[in-house]
Amino acid sequence: MMNQQTHPFLADEVLIELFCNGEKTAFDVLYKRYSNVVLETIRSKVKVKEEAEDLFHDFMLHLSYKLRNSYREKGQFKSWLFKSLNNYMCSYFRKKKQIFVDINLELSNQSLYEDDSEYMQLKEKILGYLQEFLRTLPESSLMLLKMRYWEGISYKEISRRTNIKYPTIVSMVRTIQKKLISFMEDRGCTRFDL
């Protein structure tokens, strides 16, 4: 097992290879190496401190997933990291501007694309799967999702309200997200559908 203190000077590519081979502490070294600059970059684009910190944690979890599942770069990791961060932030702001559809446990009969029957079928299928997934969750997990995504409450505020540590809240929500993605992929939905 690698020791973070004795290997802080390993090249990024070596750390990524170690991480992809199951060495979790390798990601910890990358996290420490880039966390300040990533957080400052996010803070420069998002002025609300809590929102920036939430995005930072979301991005770092997203980064660990991407490194393990889709990183194939042979160039500079730092360049790839900031390209990924830029894409993540663009996606975040794009989603923020979208009209959010209230997802209840009943299907909505209204659509922005009512004339597009293929879109409606896909929407109904995805909403049906989402409803099925939500029904499988324990009440505590459902409460976390409602607070975070339906009510738009920050991780810190959820932590305060539930008296659960902030990193635990971030981890719990990320775990639910991963389960949802797996659940949807098992039913043939791609990330592009979602």
Side-chain angles (χ1 to χ4, degrees), residues 4-20:
Q4 291 181 49
Q5 286 76 28
T6 59
H7 298 292
F9 301 108
L10 286 176
D12 293 340
E13 290 74 21
V14 173
L15 291 168
I16 292 166
E17 185 176 336
L18 287 168
F19 176 64
C20 289

Side-chain angles (χ1 to χ4, degrees), residues 31-66:
Y31 182 95
K32 286 181 180 182
R33 188 173 288 172
Y34 291 104
S35 62
N36 287 338
V37 70
V38 168
L39 182 57
E40 289 307 313
T41 301
I42 293 171
R43 282 183 180 157
S44 72
K45 297 174 184 338
V46 178
K47 302 305 179 199
V48 179
K49 183 180 177 185
E50 279 188 348
E51 186 178 1
E53 289 173 0
D54 286 351
L55 280 169
F56 168 74
H57 289 291
D58 282 347
F59 175 73
M60 294 308 279
L61 289 167
H62 171 78
L63 177 66
S64 71
Y65 177 82
K66 282 189 68 132

Side-chain angles (χ1 to χ4, degrees), residues 12-13 34 71 73 75-87:
D12 293 340
E13 290 74 21
Y34 291 104
Y71 179 77
E73 287 290 315
Q76 289 286 329
F77 169 72
K78 190 173 183 178
S79 298
W80 179 87
L81 171 70
F82 284 101
K83 183 169 64 171
S84 293
L85 178 58
N86 185 57
N87 290 341

